[in-house]
Amino acid sequence: IVAQVSGITPPADRPFDQVKDKVTADWLAEAQKKAAEDKAKAIADKVKSGGDLNAEAATLGITVEKSASFTRDKGDPDNAISAAFAQALFDVKLNEAAVGDSKEGPVVAKVTAVTPADPSAHPPDVDQASTQLTQQMQSDLGAEFGESLRQELKPQFNEDVVNNLLQQ
């Protein structure tokens, strides 16, 4: 590909009348997003203080959807529970609510049940978790042992020799 520069146009702001519709739409979208987030937080606060999520939804003309059971790392994407939101919900107490984000906007979720993990139902997951935990413990012990040796033996490095070796 050959390119020839025939002129340079310095950067300049576009006239307001050219961007007025875009600025208005962006401002309106941001205001709607903020209002929806504020409303979601208010609903979650009411639920935390004993309010009824179904009643709150009914006053807004929306329906409450019940998600399937989910794990901390997967969530329930079909019901707007992302993996990040699922992790946040695992920190919420039973019958309390939290606010998360979805593609359509904020989501208010209430924890209605906690199902204890059943290791016998998911042997591959248990094996994987056990392997990861073993590797992490080995890594941590190795690092601790190395640091202990460095503290006890106090090794000294000749940086000139190291730099010469690295340059070769």
Side-chain angles (χ1 to χ4, degrees), residues 53-96:
L53 183 61
N54 290 319
E56 294 295 327
T59 61
L60 296 172
I62 55 178
T63 59
V64 174
E65 296 179 19
K66 184 171 180 159
S67 91
S69 296
F70 54 84
T71 60
R72 181 185 310 259
D73 59 333
K74 292 187 180 126
D76 184 9
D78 294 336
N79 288 301
I81 307 294
S82 66
F85 189 29
Q87 282 192 325
L89 288 171
F90 270 78
D91 293 333
V92 175
K93 295 177 182 173
L94 190 61
N95 294 318
E96 286 190 0

Side-chain angles (χ1 to χ4, degrees), residues 12-20:
D13 292 335
R14 287 186 267 166
F16 183 69
D17 59 330
Q18 289 181 0
V19 295
K20 180 181 177 184

Side-chain angles (χ1 to χ4, degrees), residues 93-165:
K93 295 177 182 173
L94 190 61
N95 294 318
E96 286 190 0
V99 178
D101 291 320
S102 74
K103 294 176 188 173
E104 291 81 30
V107 176
V108 178
K110 178 180 176 183
V111 177
T112 58
V114 176
T115 306
D118 181 10
S120 63
H122 304 283
D125 293 337
V126 172
D127 292 342
Q128 180 183 5
S130 177
T131 301
Q132 287 176 341
L133 185 58
T134 300
Q135 290 172 346
Q136 288 174 346
M137 287 174 45
Q138 288 172 343
S139 177
D140 288 349
L141 287 172
E144 287 292 323
F145 181 69
E147 183 60 30
S148 176
L149 283 176
R150 276 189 283 287
Q151 294 295 325
E152 186 175 325
L153 300 176
K154 298 188 183 358
Q156 296 179 353
F157 299 97
N158 186 334
E159 290 185 30
D160 293 333
V161 171
V162 172
N163 288 335
N164 285 337
L165 288 172

Side-chain angles (χ1 to χ4, degrees), residues 5-24:
V5 177
S6 61
I8 298 174
T9 304
D13 292 335
R14 287 186 267 166
F16 183 69
D17 59 330
Q18 289 181 0
V19 295
K20 180 181 177 184
D21 293 340
K22 174 94 170 99
V23 169
T24 303

